[in-house]
Amino acid sequence: MNSLVIKKGSSRKSAYDLRSYLTDRHETHTLAVLVDNEAGVLARVIGLFSGRGYNIESLTVAEVDHEKNLSRITVVTDGTPEVIEQIKAQLGRLIPVHDVHDLTVEGPSVERELALLKVNGSGEVRVEALRISDVFRARVVDTTLGSLTFELTGTPEKIDAFVELMRPLGLTDLARTGVAAMARGE
C-alpha cells in the first residue's frame, strides 16, 4: 500500500497545511539608525544585537551633525522578516536612538563600500590583476616589485566579485569598510 505523501506547505487550502506560521526565509536588510553622538551609544546598540543572538554583517558609524550632536549607524543584518521587525522595534525603544529606517523596504537606496586589496605576484599575474582592475575601475594605490594594492568602491556584490577574481592571482590581504547607505531622492 502506498503511503500518502504530503509536501510541506504545498497548498494554503489543504486540510493538511503543515507550513510554519513563522517563515524560515532569511532576508538581508540595511538599517540606518540616527543616534546621539555620545559615549556608550554604539555599545548599547551592538549589545541589543549580541544579547539576542542577531547577526551583524556590516557596521559603519560616523558623526553626521556636529551642532545637534548626532551620529548615523548603518547596520546590515539578516534574519527572518519577523526578526527584522523585532530588531527595528527594539532599536526604536533605545533611549539614545532618534530614528530607525529600513532602507531595504523604504524604497530605492544607494549602498557603497570601500575595499583595499593586496595582491602578491609579478609577471603575467601582475598584468592579469591590472586588466581585471580596469574592468572593475579599481585604482592602484600602492605598488612594489612584488605586490599591488587596489582601492575599490562599489556595491558589496561588486566588491565580492572582484575579491573572488583576485584570489587565484595571489590575494594576500583584504580590508573592507562596511556598507554606507542612503535613501535616494528627497
Side-chain angles (χ1 to χ4, degrees):
M1 182 168 166
N2 292 342
S3 62
L4 180 62
V5 177
I6 300 173
K7 197 173 181 181
K8 184 175 179 179
S10 60
S11 170
R12 290 176 188 237
K13 297 180 180 171
S14 169
Y16 302 101
D17 186 8
L18 303 175
R19 291 178 294 123
S20 169
Y21 290 101
L22 297 176
T23 181
D24 56 354
R25 184 182 79 239
H26 275 259
E27 300 174 347
T28 300
H29 285 250
T30 303
L31 306 177
V33 185
L34 194 62
V35 298
D36 290 330
N37 185 19
E38 58 187 36
V41 173
L42 180 61
R44 292 182 69 190
V45 169
I46 301 312
L48 182 143
F49 282 82
S50 66
R52 290 164 180 80
Y54 302 148
N55 185 41
I56 295 175
E57 291 184 9
S58 171
L59 174 71
T60 59
V61 184
E63 183 179 55
V64 292
D65 192 336
H66 187 67
E67 293 174 6
K68 293 180 183 176
N69 203 30
L70 296 175
S71 288
R72 178 185 178 109
I73 300 173
T74 305
V75 180
V76 178
T77 187
D78 70 338
T80 63
E82 293 83 8
V83 167
I84 299 296
E85 289 303 316
Q86 187 176 30
I87 290 170
K88 292 189 299 190
Q90 291 172 348
L91 280 171
R93 286 194 289 269
L94 289 176
I95 294 299
V97 173
H98 292 275
D99 214 358
V100 177
H101 291 280
D102 187 345
L103 299 176
T104 305
V105 297
E106 289 182 8
S109 62
V110 178
E111 293 185 0
R112 292 293 180 264
E113 185 174 2
L114 171 72
L116 296 173
L117 299 92
K118 185 183 291 183
V119 178
N120 285 344
S122 59
E124 267 312 300
V125 169
R126 187 179 187 91
V127 171
E128 184 62 20
L130 288 168
R131 278 190 207 130
I132 293 170
S133 71
D134 282 343
V135 172
F136 282 85
R137 295 189 182 119
R139 287 184 355 165
V140 176
V141 293
D142 184 51
T143 183
T144 65
L145 293 175
S147 72
L148 293 164
T149 302
F150 296 101
E151 172 189 24
L152 178 63
T153 304
T155 63
E157 294 80 18
K158 176 182 176 180
I159 292 173
D160 290 341
F162 187 67
V163 167
E164 289 309 310
L165 290 172
M166 289 295 146
R167 280 192 201 284
L169 298 178
L171 179 67
T172 59
D173 204 1
L174 172 65
R176 294 175 78 156
T177 61
V179 174
M182 184 178 291
R184 294 184 67 190
E186 288 88 42

